[in-house]
Amino acid sequence: MKKLTHDEISKNRSTLDTLHKVRKLPVYVVLNSIRSSYNVGSIFRTSDGAMIEKLFLCGYTPYPPGSKLEGGNKDILKTSLGSTESVEWEYAKDPKVIISKLKKDRIKICALELTDSSKPYFEIDKNDFPLCLIVGNEISGVPDEILDICDYSVEIPQFGVKQSLNVAVAYGVTIFRLREMFNKH
């Protein structure tokens, strides 16, 4: 076994010029009031790896600099490693506006949250696509007013003492399961 060099890996990857040829995962993601710019950057990078349709940054979720919006948080760039250029994204203050638009387009809305009716994330199947995955705040999760408009919720079963994973890790586990499911069909 030999570790691949950066050049060897790059030969089999898309570029910004060839991204339009990639079969995107029909998943939209709403990040609602994620507080850590490092978590947001990590989610951007993971979104690139899974090649999602679009990432919506909502509430007080930080957004990258260099957009049409004033300001931006340069710390996102430290963990995103350029994926803010390859992942389509948009900032919207109110996540309910985005969810409403997606519902009108017949996209199922799924919260990544522990609820009294959540199912394990690995039970999502091909009939659930296209979907929008709602990811909530690191501490408080997805708020009730958003859960009320979701079609269902999924959770990642925990076997230790803690109740949940870091938000960026939980997102990574879930989005790559969705990618795996989508690629099978």
Side-chain angles (χ1 to χ4, degrees), residues 44 54-57 63-65 67 69 84 87-91:
F44 261 101
K54 190 169 184 177
L55 186 61
F56 293 96
L57 310 175
Y63 52 85
S67 66
L69 303 167
T84 59
V87 174
E88 185 179 348
W89 67 273
E90 177 183 331
Y91 176 79

Side-chain angles (χ1 to χ4, degrees), residues 136-149:
N137 176 271
E138 293 93 333
I139 303 299
S140 58
V142 178
D144 289 337
E145 65 267 12
I146 293 178
L147 287 175
D148 289 343
I149 56 177

